[in-house]
Amino acid sequence: MTAISLGMPAPPPPVLNPRRKTRQIKVGKVGVGSDSPISVQSMTTTKTTDINSTLQQIAELTAAGCDIVRVACPSADDAEALPAIAQKSQIPVIADIHFQPKYVFAAIDAGCAGVRVNPGNIRKFDDQVKEISKAAADAGVSIRIGVNAGSLDKRIMDKYGKATPEALVESAVWEASLFEEHGFSDFKISVKHHDPVVMVRAYELLAEAGDWPLHLGVTEAGPAFQGTIKSATAFGALLSQGIGDTIRVSLSAPPVEEIKVGNQILESLNLKPRTLEIVSCPSCGRAQVDVYELADKVTAGLEGLEVPLRVAVMGCIVNGPGEAREADLGVASGNGKGQIFVKGEVIKTVPEAKIVETLIEEAMRIAEENGDPAGPPEVVVG
C-alpha cells in the first residue's frame, strides 16, 4: 500500500478568532507573543537543591512536550543550584521568586532564561524595579509579572476589599508601567485566580489595557479532574477570543499531566498541530463490543506514536462506519468482529480478539511509511 497523507490539511485549520496582537519577547530560545506559537509551561515539584532530580523531571517534561519550565527559588541553597539547572536543561528555565528580591538578581546571574516575580509579596518590590530592569536587560533575561489573587499588594486589597478582576488588573498595569518607565519591555503578565470566571474577566480587561504578552493560568485549580475542567473552561474562553500567548495548567498531579492537558487544550482549538487523536464512542446500548476496553488498549498500545494520526474506535454499526471512514485509521465493530478502515477504505475484517492488535500494527505501518517511527502522542477521547 502506498503512503497516505496524514496530518493537518494544507490550509491552516480554522480557529475561532485570530490571535490578539501582542509584543514579542524571548524566554531563552522560545518566543512568546502573537508572532510565536502558544507555548506550554509547567513547574517542577522537586526540591531545586536536588539538581539531579530536578533535571530528571525537566527531561520528563521536555519529552512530554513542555516548552518552558519554572523552578522554585525560595532560599539561598536553591539559588546556588540554578546555574547547573539552567545550563543543563534542554528547555528554558524560569526562576520563581517570592519575598526576597536578592534572588531575582541571583537567578539572572545564574543564566536563567526568565524570572517570575510576584510584586505582591516581594518586600519593597517597586523600589527594586529600576535595578531589576537593568540587570535583566543587560543579561537578555525576560520577566513575568505574576499577579496572584492570594498575594495581592496590601494597597490594592485595601482599595477593593478582595481580589476582583479590576484589582488584579490594576496591580498588573501598575507594575508594567514601572518597568516601562525604566525602558524595559521584555516582560509578560499573568493575573491568576482560582475562580475561572474571575480569571477570565481579569484577562479580558488586561488584554484591553495594553499589548503585553499574557501568560494564562488558573491558580490552585485543584486535583487532576477538577483542575483540568477549570483550566479547559477558562483557557477555552480566552483562547477562543485570541487572548493568551503561553499557558500553564496548574494541577495537584504530576507535572507531566499538566503538559498533556495543556497541549490537548491547544490542539482542540486548532492552536497547535494535532498529533495522535483517538476518537471513540461513549458506548451505549447499541454497542456490541466493550468500547471502553478497546479504546484504553489502543491508546496504551499507541503511546509514543508521534504522527498526526486520527484513530477511530467505534462500537456499533450506527455511527461506527462513518466515523471510521473519516479517520486515518479506524474500526467499526459488531457481531464479534471489526471492519478495519484505512483512509476511508475497508482493508480487512478481523475477529474481535484481533481488533486491538490489528489497529496497532496498521498504525505503526502507517507511521513508518510516513517517515515518523515513534514519539510521544496526545490522545482525545470523544
Side-chain angles (χ1 to χ4, degrees):
M1 187 179 292
T2 57
I4 62 175
S5 175
L6 298 176
M8 305 309 290
V15 294
L16 291 169
N17 274 296
R19 292 273 297 280
R20 160 183 166 264
K21 186 66 178 173
T22 60
R23 69 179 68 162
Q24 190 74 17
I25 68 168
K26 296 284 283 186
V27 181
K29 61 186 179 183
V30 177
V32 175
S34 56
D35 291 340
S36 300
I38 297 170
S39 52
V40 180
Q41 304 190 24
S42 185
M43 186 172 182
T44 56
T45 57
T46 55
K47 296 292 184 186
T48 305
T49 51
D50 187 343
I51 294 172
N52 288 337
S53 294
T54 300
L55 285 170
Q56 175 61 36
Q57 193 169 81
I58 291 174
E60 292 167 1
L61 287 165
T62 304
C66 184
D67 299 304
I68 299 168
V69 66
R70 185 157 44 109
V71 299
C73 185
S75 72
D77 289 340
D78 296 308
E80 288 177 10
L82 289 177
I85 293 169
Q87 182 180 9
K88 294 179 181 178
S89 172
Q90 293 179 294
I91 55 177
V93 173
I94 293 177
D96 191 65
I97 310 298
H98 300 267
F99 305 113
Q100 294 281 0
K102 64 182 179 182
Y103 297 139
V104 175
F105 299 101
I108 292 171
D109 292 340
C112 290
V115 180
R116 181 272 174 114
V117 295
N118 186 338
N121 62 20
I122 294 181
R123 289 199 297 269
K124 298 182 178 178
F125 178 78
D126 290 357
D127 297 337
Q128 308 276 329
V129 170
K130 181 178 180 180
E131 289 75 15
I132 290 172
S133 297
K134 184 178 188 310
D138 289 347
V141 171
S142 63
I143 299 289
R144 169 155 71 93
I145 299 172
V147 176
N148 195 299
S151 51
L152 269 179
D153 185 283
K154 184 178 183 300
R155 294 167 297 179
I156 299 290
M157 287 298 287
D158 288 345
K159 177 177 178 179
Y160 289 92
K162 61 180 181 179
T164 64
E166 293 77 12
L168 293 167
V169 171
E170 182 171 321
S171 175
V173 171
W174 167 252
E175 300 302 339
S177 72
L178 294 182
F179 278 99
E180 290 168 339
E181 181 182 306
H182 296 294
F184 187 81
S185 60
D186 291 336
F187 62 85
K188 58 184 181 292
I189 304 177
S190 62
V191 281
K192 296 188 178 183
H193 197 286
H194 67 272
D195 184 329
V197 174
V198 176
M199 174 269 200
V200 167
R201 185 57 186 146
Y203 277 99
E204 289 173 339
L205 292 173
L206 188 57
E208 293 171 2
D211 68 345
W212 312 288
L214 301 183
H215 168 90
L216 304 187
V218 179
T219 190
E220 293 102 29
F225 178 76
Q226 175 181 294
T228 296
I229 297 300
K230 279 187 171 184
S231 297
T233 300
F235 291 5
L238 290 166
L239 293 168
S240 66
Q241 299 179 64
I243 298 172
D245 301 290
T246 182
I247 65 172
R248 190 260 172 120
V249 176
S250 297
L251 301 177
S252 299
V256 164
E257 297 304 310
E258 299 183 348
I259 299 305
K260 291 179 181 178
V261 174
N263 280 318
Q264 183 57 67
I265 291 170
L266 294 180
E267 288 186 27
S268 297
L269 292 167
N270 287 339
L271 294 170
K272 186 181 180 75
R274 294 176 187 264
T275 51
L276 177 67
E277 181 180 9
I278 304 293
V279 178
S280 64
C281 60
S283 191
C284 67
R286 298 189 300 265
Q288 296 176 323
V289 296
D290 187 338
V291 179
Y292 301 150
E293 184 179 13
L294 276 182
D296 284 346
K297 286 183 176 179
V298 171
T299 299
L302 295 182
E303 186 172 1
L305 201 66
E306 207 175 46
V307 294
L309 187 70
R310 176 178 281 116
V311 181
V313 182
M314 306 302 294
C316 82
I317 60 171
V318 175
N319 295 318
E323 290 285 2
R325 192 172 286 113
E326 289 297 316
D328 297 306
L329 170 65
V331 61
S333 311
N335 297 322
K337 56 191 177 185
Q339 284 187 312
I340 307 299
F341 289 75
V342 173
K343 275 294 179 184
E345 300 293 333
V346 177
I347 62 164
K348 63 180 77 171
T349 299
V350 299
E352 183 179 336
K354 294 280 190 181
I355 288 175
V356 173
E357 174 188 332
T358 305
L359 285 176
I360 292 171
E361 286 176 356
E362 289 298 321
M364 295 304 181
R365 179 187 61 75
I366 291 169
E368 235 178 277
E369 289 179 355
N370 284 269
D372 206 343
E378 199 286 326
V379 176
V380 181
V381 177

PDB file of all heavy atoms in Angstrom, residues 36-37 52 57 124 168 170 184 267-268 271 274 301 359 382:
ATOM      1  N   SER A  36       4.529  34.152  17.690  1.00  0.00           N
ATOM      2  CA  SER A  36       5.034  32.809  18.004  1.00  0.00           C
ATOM      3  C   SER A  36       3.885  31.891  18.378  1.00  0.00           C
ATOM      4  O   SER A  36       2.826  32.344  18.827  1.00  0.00           O
ATOM      5  CB  SER A  36       6.018  32.875  19.185  1.00  0.00           C
ATOM      6  OG  SER A  36       7.122  33.695  18.875  1.00  0.00           O
ATOM      7  N   PRO A  37       4.087  30.577  18.224  1.00  0.00           N
ATOM      8  CA  PRO A  37       3.055  29.643  18.692  1.00  0.00           C
ATOM      9  C   PRO A  37       2.846  29.780  20.195  1.00  0.00           C
ATOM     10  O   PRO A  37       3.745  30.195  20.932  1.00  0.00           O
ATOM     11  CB  PRO A  37       3.657  28.262  18.351  1.00  0.00           C
ATOM     12  CG  PRO A  37       4.705  28.529  17.328  1.00  0.00           C
ATOM     13  CD  PRO A  37       5.234  29.896  17.613  1.00  0.00           C
ATOM     14  N   ASN A  52      19.985  16.800  40.440  1.00  0.00           N
ATOM     15  CA  ASN A  52      19.766  15.648  39.565  1.00  0.00           C
ATOM     16  C   ASN A  52      18.284  15.317  39.417  1.00  0.00           C
ATOM     17  O   ASN A  52      17.800  15.043  38.309  1.00  0.00           O
ATOM     18  CB  ASN A  52      20.529  14.431  40.093  1.00  0.00           C
ATOM     19  CG  ASN A  52      22.029  14.561  39.901  1.00  0.00           C
ATOM     20  OD1 ASN A  52      22.484  15.314  39.040  1.00  0.00           O
ATOM     21  ND2 ASN A  52      22.808  13.855  40.710  1.00  0.00           N
ATOM     22  N   GLN A  57      13.291  15.498  36.202  1.00  0.00           N
ATOM     23  CA  GLN A  57      11.900  15.885  35.983  1.00  0.00           C
ATOM     24  C   GLN A  57      11.776  16.832  34.786  1.00  0.00           C
ATOM     25  O   GLN A  57      10.816  16.730  34.009  1.00  0.00           O
ATOM     26  CB  GLN A  57      11.318  16.540  37.236  1.00  0.00           C
ATOM     27  CG  GLN A  57       9.811  16.677  37.178  1.00  0.00           C
ATOM     28  CD  GLN A  57       9.215  17.068  38.514  1.00  0.00           C
ATOM     29  OE1 GLN A  57       9.217  18.238  38.873  1.00  0.00           O
ATOM     30  NE2 GLN A  57       8.691  16.096  39.255  1.00  0.00           N
ATOM     31  N   LYS A 124       9.291  45.658  49.290  1.00  0.00           N
ATOM     32  CA  LYS A 124       9.693  46.888  48.618  1.00  0.00           C
ATOM     33  C   LYS A 124      10.016  46.650  47.147  1.00  0.00           C
ATOM     34  O   LYS A 124      10.996  47.169  46.610  1.00  0.00           O
ATOM     35  CB  LYS A 124      10.907  47.513  49.329  1.00  0.00           C
ATOM     36  CG  LYS A 124      10.621  47.921  50.767  1.00  0.00           C
ATOM     37  CD  LYS A 124      11.828  48.582  51.403  1.00  0.00           C
ATOM     38  CE  LYS A 124      11.534  49.024  52.825  1.00  0.00           C
ATOM     39  NZ  LYS A 124      12.725  49.625  53.486  1.00  0.00           N
ATOM     40  N   LEU A 168      -6.888  42.783  40.293  1.00  0.00           N
ATOM     41  CA  LEU A 168      -5.773  42.064  39.681  1.00  0.00           C
ATOM     42  C   LEU A 168      -5.155  42.876  38.539  1.00  0.00           C
ATOM     43  O   LEU A 168      -3.929  42.992  38.426  1.00  0.00           O
ATOM     44  CB  LEU A 168      -6.260  40.714  39.147  1.00  0.00           C
ATOM     45  CG  LEU A 168      -6.713  39.684  40.184  1.00  0.00           C
ATOM     46  CD1 LEU A 168      -7.460  38.539  39.505  1.00  0.00           C
ATOM     47  CD2 LEU A 168      -5.522  39.141  40.970  1.00  0.00           C
ATOM     48  N   GLU A 170      -5.396  46.187  37.985  1.00  0.00           N
ATOM     49  CA  GLU A 170      -4.758  47.431  38.440  1.00  0.00           C
ATOM     50  C   GLU A 170      -3.349  47.151  38.947  1.00  0.00           C
ATOM     51  O   GLU A 170      -2.407  47.901  38.660  1.00  0.00           O
ATOM     52  CB  GLU A 170      -5.585  48.092  39.545  1.00  0.00           C
ATOM     53  CG  GLU A 170      -4.977  49.409  40.008  1.00  0.00           C
ATOM     54  CD  GLU A 170      -5.881  50.198  40.936  1.00  0.00           C
ATOM     55  OE1 GLU A 170      -7.111  50.223  40.699  1.00  0.00           O
ATOM     56  OE2 GLU A 170      -5.358  50.799  41.900  1.00  0.00           O
ATOM     57  N   PHE A 184      12.180  49.106  30.113  1.00  0.00           N
ATOM     58  CA  PHE A 184      12.215  47.644  29.993  1.00  0.00           C
ATOM     59  C   PHE A 184      10.847  47.146  29.531  1.00  0.00           C
ATOM     60  O   PHE A 184       9.819  47.436  30.149  1.00  0.00           O
ATOM     61  CB  PHE A 184      12.563  47.005  31.342  1.00  0.00           C
ATOM     62  CG  PHE A 184      12.785  45.524  31.261  1.00  0.00           C
ATOM     63  CD1 PHE A 184      14.000  45.011  30.833  1.00  0.00           C
ATOM     64  CD2 PHE A 184      11.779  44.635  31.616  1.00  0.00           C
ATOM     65  CE1 PHE A 184      14.216  43.640  30.760  1.00  0.00           C
ATOM     66  CE2 PHE A 184      11.972  43.261  31.541  1.00  0.00           C
ATOM     67  CZ  PHE A 184      13.197  42.767  31.115  1.00  0.00           C
ATOM     68  N   GLU A 267      -4.540  21.820  21.035  1.00  0.00           N
ATOM     69  CA  GLU A 267      -4.895  21.035  19.853  1.00  0.00           C
ATOM     70  C   GLU A 267      -6.393  21.078  19.586  1.00  0.00           C
ATOM     71  O   GLU A 267      -6.830  21.147  18.432  1.00  0.00           O
ATOM     72  CB  GLU A 267      -4.433  19.585  20.035  1.00  0.00           C
ATOM     73  CG  GLU A 267      -2.925  19.418  19.955  1.00  0.00           C
ATOM     74  CD  GLU A 267      -2.503  17.966  19.993  1.00  0.00           C
ATOM     75  OE1 GLU A 267      -3.296  17.107  19.569  1.00  0.00           O
ATOM     76  OE2 GLU A 267      -1.386  17.687  20.451  1.00  0.00           O
ATOM     77  N   SER A 268      -7.182  21.046  20.651  1.00  0.00           N
ATOM     78  CA  SER A 268      -8.633  21.038  20.483  1.00  0.00           C
ATOM     79  C   SER A 268      -9.140  22.310  19.823  1.00  0.00           C
ATOM     80  O   SER A 268     -10.176  22.308  19.161  1.00  0.00           O
ATOM     81  CB  SER A 268      -9.317  20.861  21.846  1.00  0.00           C
ATOM     82  OG  SER A 268      -8.985  19.613  22.418  1.00  0.00           O
ATOM     83  N   LEU A 271      -4.949  25.361  17.788  1.00  0.00           N
ATOM     84  CA  LEU A 271      -3.879  26.313  18.047  1.00  0.00           C
ATOM     85  C   LEU A 271      -2.526  25.626  18.112  1.00  0.00           C
ATOM     86  O   LEU A 271      -1.503  26.275  18.347  1.00  0.00           O
ATOM     87  CB  LEU A 271      -4.154  27.061  19.361  1.00  0.00           C
ATOM     88  CG  LEU A 271      -5.390  27.959  19.326  1.00  0.00           C
ATOM     89  CD1 LEU A 271      -5.736  28.461  20.719  1.00  0.00           C
ATOM     90  CD2 LEU A 271      -5.173  29.126  18.371  1.00  0.00           C
ATOM     91  N   ARG A 274      -2.201  18.890  15.557  1.00  0.00           N
ATOM     92  CA  ARG A 274      -2.631  17.678  16.242  1.00  0.00           C
ATOM     93  C   ARG A 274      -1.606  16.568  16.033  1.00  0.00           C
ATOM     94  O   ARG A 274      -0.990  16.459  14.987  1.00  0.00           O
ATOM     95  CB  ARG A 274      -3.997  17.223  15.716  1.00  0.00           C
ATOM     96  CG  ARG A 274      -5.112  18.208  16.041  1.00  0.00           C
ATOM     97  CD  ARG A 274      -6.421  17.749  15.424  1.00  0.00           C
ATOM     98  NE  ARG A 274      -7.442  18.782  15.588  1.00  0.00           N
ATOM     99  CZ  ARG A 274      -8.333  18.801  16.569  1.00  0.00           C
ATOM    100  NH1 ARG A 274      -8.331  17.842  17.460  1.00  0.00           N
ATOM    101  NH2 ARG A 274      -9.222  19.758  16.649  1.00  0.00           N
ATOM    102  N   GLY A 301      -1.453   1.043  23.568  1.00  0.00           N
ATOM    103  CA  GLY A 301      -0.594   0.447  22.553  1.00  0.00           C
ATOM    104  C   GLY A 301       0.057   1.459  21.631  1.00  0.00           C
ATOM    105  O   GLY A 301       1.130   1.200  21.072  1.00  0.00           O
ATOM    106  N   LEU A 359      -5.168  -2.839  14.815  1.00  0.00           N
ATOM    107  CA  LEU A 359      -5.091  -1.377  14.767  1.00  0.00           C
ATOM    108  C   LEU A 359      -3.684  -0.887  15.082  1.00  0.00           C
ATOM    109  O   LEU A 359      -3.169   0.041  14.438  1.00  0.00           O
ATOM    110  CB  LEU A 359      -6.094  -0.763  15.752  1.00  0.00           C
ATOM    111  CG  LEU A 359      -7.567  -0.788  15.336  1.00  0.00           C
ATOM    112  CD1 LEU A 359      -8.433  -0.246  16.459  1.00  0.00           C
ATOM    113  CD2 LEU A 359      -7.803   0.019  14.065  1.00  0.00           C
ATOM    114  N   GLY A 382     -13.588  11.113  22.616  1.00  0.00           N
ATOM    115  CA  GLY A 382     -14.750  11.959  22.462  1.00  0.00           C
ATOM    116  C   GLY A 382     -16.015  11.225  22.274  1.00  0.00           C
ATOM    117  O   GLY A 382     -16.105  10.256  21.619  1.00  0.00           O
TER     118      GLY A 382
END
